[in-house]
Protein backbone atom coordinates (compact mmCIF):
# COMPACT_ATOMS: atom_id res chain seq x y z
CA UNK A 1 0.00 0.00 0.00
CA UNK A 2 1.32 3.47 -0.84
CA UNK A 3 1.85 5.67 2.21
CA UNK A 4 0.39 8.70 0.40
CA UNK A 5 -2.98 6.95 0.41
CA UNK A 6 -2.90 6.88 4.21
CA UNK A 7 -1.69 10.47 4.41
CA UNK A 8 -4.57 11.59 2.21
CA UNK A 9 -7.14 9.55 4.12
CA UNK A 10 -6.01 10.92 7.50
CA UNK A 11 -5.89 14.50 6.30
CA UNK A 12 -9.36 14.22 4.77
CA UNK A 13 -10.65 12.64 7.98
CA UNK A 14 -9.48 15.80 9.76
CA UNK A 15 -10.54 18.47 7.25
CA UNK A 16 -13.72 16.77 5.92
CA UNK A 17 -13.06 18.77 2.75
CA UNK A 18 -11.56 17.55 -0.52
CA UNK A 19 -10.69 21.15 -1.39
CA UNK A 20 -8.91 21.81 1.93
CA UNK A 21 -7.01 18.52 1.85
CA UNK A 22 -5.88 19.24 -1.71
CA UNK A 23 -4.56 22.62 -0.56
CA UNK A 24 -2.80 21.21 2.48
CA UNK A 25 -1.16 18.35 0.57
CA UNK A 26 -0.49 20.54 -2.48
CA UNK A 27 -2.22 18.21 -4.89
CA UNK A 28 -5.37 18.47 -7.01
CA UNK A 29 -8.84 17.54 -5.78
CA UNK A 30 -8.98 14.85 -8.46
CA UNK A 31 -5.81 13.33 -7.00
CA UNK A 32 -7.39 13.35 -3.54
CA UNK A 33 -10.45 11.59 -4.96
CA UNK A 34 -8.33 9.05 -6.84
CA UNK A 35 -6.29 8.23 -3.72
CA UNK A 36 -9.41 7.78 -1.60
CA UNK A 37 -10.93 5.51 -4.24
CA UNK A 38 -7.72 3.46 -4.44
CA UNK A 39 -7.63 3.08 -0.65
CA UNK A 40 -11.30 2.09 -0.50
CA UNK A 41 -10.66 -0.55 -3.14
CA UNK A 42 -7.62 -1.82 -1.23
CA UNK A 43 -9.49 -2.22 2.07
CA UNK A 44 -12.72 -3.33 0.44
CA UNK A 45 -14.96 -0.79 2.16
CA UNK A 46 -16.34 2.67 1.59
CA UNK A 47 -14.52 5.04 3.95
CA UNK A 48 -16.25 8.37 3.28
CA UNK A 49 -19.79 9.53 2.63
CA UNK A 50 -19.81 12.44 0.20
CA UNK A 51 -22.76 14.82 -0.12
CA UNK A 52 -23.52 18.48 -0.71
CA UNK A 53 -23.43 18.95 3.05
CA UNK A 54 -19.82 17.80 3.19
CA UNK A 55 -17.62 14.75 3.65
CA UNK A 56 -17.92 12.43 6.64
CA UNK A 57 -16.31 9.17 7.67
CA UNK A 58 -18.49 6.10 7.30
CA UNK A 59 -18.65 3.67 10.25
CA UNK A 60 -16.02 1.62 8.44
CA UNK A 61 -13.90 4.74 7.99
CA UNK A 62 -14.09 5.53 11.71
CA UNK A 63 -12.96 2.01 12.57
CA UNK A 64 -10.15 2.21 10.03
CA UNK A 65 -8.80 5.59 11.21
CA UNK A 66 -6.80 4.41 14.25
CA UNK A 67 -5.30 1.59 12.18
CA UNK A 68 -4.32 4.10 9.49
CA UNK A 69 -2.55 6.23 12.09
CA UNK A 70 -0.73 3.18 13.42
CA UNK A 71 0.32 2.09 9.93
CA UNK A 72 1.64 5.53 9.06
CA UNK A 73 3.49 5.77 12.36
CA UNK A 74 5.13 2.38 11.86
CA UNK A 75 6.14 3.33 8.33
CA UNK A 76 7.87 6.52 9.51
CA UNK A 77 9.41 4.63 12.43
CA UNK A 78 10.85 2.03 10.04
CA UNK A 79 12.30 4.72 7.75
CA UNK A 80 14.00 6.46 10.67
CA UNK A 81 15.47 3.27 12.07
CA UNK A 82 17.47 2.61 8.90
CA UNK A 83 18.83 6.18 8.75
CA UNK A 84 20.83 6.20 11.99
CA UNK A 85 24.12 8.15 11.63
CA UNK A 86 27.31 6.13 11.68
CA UNK A 87 28.64 5.51 15.17
CA UNK A 88 25.27 5.99 16.90
CA UNK A 89 23.05 3.23 18.23
CA UNK A 90 19.83 5.20 17.81
CA UNK A 91 18.46 8.47 16.44
CA UNK A 92 16.13 10.83 18.29
CA UNK A 93 14.28 13.51 16.35
CA UNK A 94 13.50 16.41 18.67
CA UNK A 95 11.22 19.39 18.24
CA UNK A 96 11.78 22.41 20.46
CA UNK A 97 9.67 25.56 20.71
CA UNK A 98 11.40 28.36 18.80
CA UNK A 99 11.73 30.65 21.82
CA UNK A 100 13.22 27.89 23.97
CA UNK A 101 15.62 26.73 21.26
CA UNK A 102 17.01 30.25 20.85
CA UNK A 103 18.05 30.43 24.51
CA UNK A 104 18.30 26.92 25.96
CA UNK A 105 19.15 24.60 23.08
CA UNK A 106 22.90 24.49 23.72
CA UNK A 107 22.56 23.66 27.42
CA UNK A 108 19.89 21.04 26.81
CA UNK A 109 21.71 19.21 24.04
CA UNK A 110 24.92 19.22 26.09
CA UNK A 111 23.00 17.47 28.89
CA UNK A 112 21.37 15.06 26.45
CA UNK A 113 24.73 14.08 24.97
CA UNK A 114 26.28 13.41 28.39
CA UNK A 115 23.31 11.31 29.49
CA UNK A 116 22.90 9.48 26.16
CA UNK A 117 26.30 9.40 24.43
CA UNK A 118 25.31 6.71 21.91
CA UNK A 119 22.25 8.63 20.73
CA UNK A 120 22.31 10.89 17.68
CA UNK A 121 19.98 13.91 17.68
CA UNK A 122 18.13 15.62 14.85
CA UNK A 123 16.73 18.89 16.21
CA UNK A 124 14.04 21.06 14.65
CA UNK A 125 12.98 24.35 16.32
CA UNK A 126 9.30 24.91 15.49
CA UNK A 127 5.87 25.96 16.74
CA UNK A 128 3.54 23.81 18.86
CA UNK A 129 0.89 23.00 16.24
CA UNK A 130 3.43 21.73 13.74
CA UNK A 131 5.29 19.71 16.36
CA UNK A 132 2.05 18.01 17.43
CA UNK A 133 1.39 17.09 13.80
CA UNK A 134 4.95 15.80 13.38
CA UNK A 135 4.68 13.65 16.51
CA UNK A 136 1.51 12.08 15.12
CA UNK A 137 3.10 11.26 11.78
CA UNK A 138 6.31 9.97 13.35
CA UNK A 139 8.51 12.75 11.97
CA UNK A 140 9.40 13.69 15.56
CA UNK A 141 10.03 11.41 18.53
CA UNK A 142 9.94 14.00 21.30
CA UNK A 143 9.05 17.67 21.59
CA UNK A 144 9.18 20.52 24.09
CA UNK A 145 6.41 23.04 23.46
CA UNK A 146 4.17 25.79 24.78
CA UNK A 147 0.73 24.75 23.48
CA UNK A 148 -0.35 21.09 23.64
CA UNK A 149 -2.93 20.14 21.05
CA UNK A 150 -5.04 17.42 22.70
CA UNK A 151 -5.17 14.18 20.74
CA UNK A 152 -5.77 10.57 21.84
CA UNK A 153 -2.45 9.48 20.34
CA UNK A 154 -0.34 12.15 22.09
CA UNK A 155 0.86 12.32 25.69
CA UNK A 156 1.78 15.65 27.31
CA UNK A 157 3.58 16.24 30.58
CA UNK A 158 4.18 19.55 32.33
CA UNK A 159 7.91 20.17 32.86
CA UNK A 160 7.88 23.73 34.23
CA UNK A 161 7.50 27.25 32.94
CA UNK A 162 9.56 30.13 31.56
CA UNK A 163 9.36 33.75 32.71
CA UNK A 164 9.02 36.73 30.39
CA UNK A 165 10.00 40.21 31.62
CA UNK A 166 9.27 43.60 30.13
CA UNK A 167 12.23 45.70 28.99
CA UNK A 168 12.26 49.19 27.55
CA UNK A 169 14.57 51.74 25.97
CA UNK A 170 12.23 54.50 27.17
CA UNK A 171 11.27 54.04 30.81
CA UNK A 172 11.57 51.77 33.86
CA UNK A 173 7.95 52.46 34.88
CA UNK A 174 4.93 50.59 33.52
CA UNK A 175 2.70 53.67 33.73
CA UNK A 176 4.98 55.45 31.22
CA UNK A 177 5.05 52.64 28.64
CA UNK A 178 3.11 53.85 25.58
CA UNK A 179 1.10 51.46 23.36
CA UNK A 180 2.44 53.12 20.20
CA UNK A 181 5.98 52.27 21.37
CA UNK A 182 5.14 48.74 22.52
CA UNK A 183 5.70 45.41 20.76
CA UNK A 184 2.90 43.04 21.75
CA UNK A 185 3.86 39.36 22.05
CA UNK A 186 1.72 36.35 21.12
CA UNK A 187 4.11 33.50 21.92
CA UNK A 188 1.16 31.14 22.43
CA UNK A 189 -2.64 31.53 22.67
CA UNK A 190 -2.46 31.19 26.46
CA UNK A 191 0.37 33.72 26.70
CA UNK A 192 -1.48 36.21 24.49
CA UNK A 193 -4.62 35.96 26.63
CA UNK A 194 -2.60 36.40 29.84
CA UNK A 195 -0.77 39.35 28.27
CA UNK A 196 -4.06 41.04 27.34
CA UNK A 197 -5.56 40.50 30.78
CA UNK A 198 -2.55 41.73 32.76
CA UNK A 199 -1.57 44.66 30.50
CA UNK A 200 -4.84 45.61 28.77
CA UNK A 201 -3.69 49.15 27.97
CA UNK A 202 -0.89 47.79 25.78
CA UNK A 203 -3.02 45.42 23.70
CA UNK A 204 -3.66 48.22 21.18
CA UNK A 205 -0.05 48.06 19.98
CA UNK A 206 0.31 48.28 16.20
CA UNK A 207 3.01 45.56 16.14
CA UNK A 208 2.56 42.01 17.42
CA UNK A 209 4.97 39.10 16.96
CA UNK A 210 5.26 35.47 18.07
CA UNK A 211 8.95 35.09 18.98
CA UNK A 212 11.04 36.58 21.76
CA UNK A 213 13.92 36.95 19.30
CA UNK A 214 11.69 38.96 16.97
CA UNK A 215 10.71 41.27 19.83
CA UNK A 216 14.40 41.86 20.51
CA UNK A 217 15.10 42.57 16.84
CA UNK A 218 12.28 45.11 16.65
CA UNK A 219 13.28 46.84 19.89
CA UNK A 220 16.92 47.01 18.82
CA UNK A 221 15.89 48.67 15.54
CA UNK A 222 13.07 50.94 16.70
CA UNK A 223 13.36 51.25 20.47
CA UNK A 224 10.34 50.95 22.71
CA UNK A 225 9.13 48.28 25.12
CA UNK A 226 8.15 44.61 25.06
CA UNK A 227 8.26 41.25 26.78
CA UNK A 228 11.22 38.92 26.23
CA UNK A 229 12.51 35.82 28.00
CA UNK A 230 13.93 36.65 31.43
CA UNK A 231 17.45 35.53 30.50
CA UNK A 232 17.33 37.70 27.38
CA UNK A 233 15.96 40.63 29.39
CA UNK A 234 18.89 40.42 31.81
CA UNK A 235 21.36 40.38 28.93
CA UNK A 236 19.72 43.40 27.29
CA UNK A 237 19.76 45.39 30.53
CA UNK A 238 23.40 44.46 31.14
CA UNK A 239 24.20 45.88 27.70
CA UNK A 240 23.23 49.33 28.92
CA UNK A 241 20.65 50.40 26.34
CA UNK A 242 17.60 48.77 27.95
CA UNK A 243 15.92 49.14 31.32
CA UNK A 244 13.89 46.54 33.18
CA UNK A 245 10.31 47.72 33.66
CA UNK A 246 10.43 46.59 37.26
CA UNK A 247 6.77 47.10 38.14
CA UNK A 248 5.46 45.30 35.05
CA UNK A 249 3.99 41.87 35.85
CA UNK A 250 6.04 38.77 35.12
CA UNK A 251 4.33 36.59 32.53
CA UNK A 252 4.84 32.84 32.95
CA UNK A 253 4.50 30.47 30.03
CA UNK A 254 3.96 26.77 30.90
CA UNK A 255 6.22 24.31 29.08
CA UNK A 256 5.28 20.74 28.16
CA UNK A 257 7.12 17.64 26.97
CA UNK A 258 5.20 15.77 24.28
CA UNK A 259 5.53 12.26 22.86
CA UNK A 260 3.46 9.79 20.90
CA UNK A 261 1.44 7.62 23.26
CA UNK A 262 3.36 4.57 22.01
CA UNK A 263 6.56 5.96 23.55
CA UNK A 264 5.08 6.94 26.90
CA UNK A 265 6.86 4.25 28.91
CA UNK A 266 10.11 3.96 26.93
CA UNK A 267 13.23 4.63 29.01
CA UNK A 268 14.84 6.98 26.51
CA UNK A 269 11.80 9.24 26.28
CA UNK A 270 11.38 9.25 30.07
CA UNK A 271 15.01 10.26 30.47
CA UNK A 272 14.58 13.21 28.08
CA UNK A 273 11.51 14.37 29.99
CA UNK A 274 13.40 14.15 33.28
CA UNK A 275 16.37 16.11 31.92
CA UNK A 276 14.14 18.93 30.68
CA UNK A 277 12.20 18.95 33.97
CA UNK A 278 15.44 19.24 35.95
CA UNK A 279 16.39 22.33 33.97
CA UNK A 280 13.21 24.13 35.02
CA UNK A 281 13.53 22.88 38.58
CA UNK A 282 16.89 24.62 38.76
Amino acid sequence: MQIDLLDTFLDLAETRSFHRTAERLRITQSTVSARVTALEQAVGSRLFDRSRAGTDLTPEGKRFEPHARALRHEWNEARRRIQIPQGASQLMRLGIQNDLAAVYLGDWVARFRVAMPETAFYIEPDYSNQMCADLLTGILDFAVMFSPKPHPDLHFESVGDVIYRMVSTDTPRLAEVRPERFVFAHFSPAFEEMHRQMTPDLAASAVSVGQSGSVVSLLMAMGGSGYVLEKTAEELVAGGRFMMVADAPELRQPVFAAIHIRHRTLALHRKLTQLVSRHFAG
Side-chain angles (χ1 to χ4, degrees):
M1 184 185 298
Q2 295 180 0
I3 197 66
D4 56 9
L5 302 187
L6 293 177
D7 287 337
T8 304
F9 166 79
L10 290 169
D11 195 272
L12 186 57
E14 179 179 335
T15 66
R16 306 301 172 91
S17 165
F18 278 73
H19 173 70
R20 182 68 180 130
T21 287
E23 284 186 337
R24 285 168 37 142
L25 299 182
R26 298 182 181 180
I27 56 179
T28 64
Q29 289 189 57
S30 60
T31 300
V32 174
S33 182
R35 288 181 181 180
V36 170
T37 298
L39 183 58
E40 289 177 334
Q41 291 174 348
V43 300
S45 294
R46 189 173 182 84
L47 301 174
F48 291 98
D49 283 327
R50 309 164 181 89
S51 68
R52 291 183 178 180
T55 301
D56 289 304
L57 286 167
T58 63
E60 293 80 9
K62 291 177 181 178
R63 289 196 295 270
F64 179 67
E65 184 178 6
H67 297 287
R69 293 190 184 281
L71 286 167
R72 184 174 63 178
H73 179 81
E74 289 300 327
W75 170 259
N76 286 316
E77 186 79 4
R79 285 199 308 170
R80 279 203 317 279
R81 295 307 175 189
I82 64 173
Q83 296 173 350
I84 299 174
Q86 186 175 3
S89 62
Q90 57 197 338
L91 172 66
M92 286 292 293
R93 295 179 178 266
L94 309 181
I96 299 180
Q97 189 84 27
N98 277 300
D99 263 19
L100 300 177
V103 177
Y104 302 116
L105 181 61
D107 290 342
W108 286 0
V109 174
R111 294 186 186 192
F112 296 165
R113 294 289 291 143
V114 170
M116 296 163 278
E118 296 182 355
T119 302
F121 293 93
Y122 175 90
I123 303 160
E124 188 71 38
D126 214 328
Y127 291 100
S128 300
N129 280 347
Q130 186 59 54
M131 287 189 284
C132 286
D134 289 345
L135 286 167
L136 283 171
T137 59
I139 293 173
L140 292 179
D141 299 304
F142 182 90
V144 183
M145 64 180 65
F146 285 167
S147 303
K149 186 177 180 181
H151 191 282
D153 289 338
L154 295 180
H155 171 72
F156 301 98
E157 187 168 330
S158 174
V159 292
D161 55 34
V162 288
I163 298 172
Y164 286 84
R165 300 286 303 276
M166 189 187 297
V167 296
S168 177
T169 59
D170 302 338
T171 177
R173 299 181 62 239
L174 180 60
E176 296 175 355
V177 174
R178 294 178 292 160
E180 64 270 20
R181 294 272 294 164
F182 189 77
V183 178
F184 189 86
H186 54 265
F187 304 131
S188 73
F191 184 94
E192 180 177 359
E193 180 61 25
M194 176 173 52
H195 196 342
R196 291 184 183 279
Q197 289 182 2
M198 299 188 74
T199 58
D201 295 340
L202 301 176
S205 169
V207 179
S208 177
V209 296
Q211 270 187 309
S212 180
S214 298
V215 176
V216 173
S217 179
L218 289 166
L219 294 180
M220 293 293 288
M222 304 186 304
S225 310
Y227 274 98
V228 297
L229 282 166
E230 184 174 47
K231 183 176 179 181
T232 304
E234 292 170 351
E235 292 171 351
L236 290 173
V237 171
R241 183 182 174 192
F242 288 83
M243 295 169 278
M244 197 77 75
V245 183
D247 61 338
E250 292 182 352
L251 300 184
R252 290 179 175 267
Q253 168 63 54
V255 181
F256 300 86
I259 56 177
H260 195 281
I261 198 71
R262 289 170 175 268
H263 298 151
R264 183 175 180 179
T265 60
L266 296 183
L268 186 61
H269 296 73
R270 297 303 308 157
K271 183 175 289 188
L272 284 170
T273 301
Q274 290 165 4
L275 288 170
V276 175
S277 296
R278 286 174 194 165
H279 167 87
F280 290 107

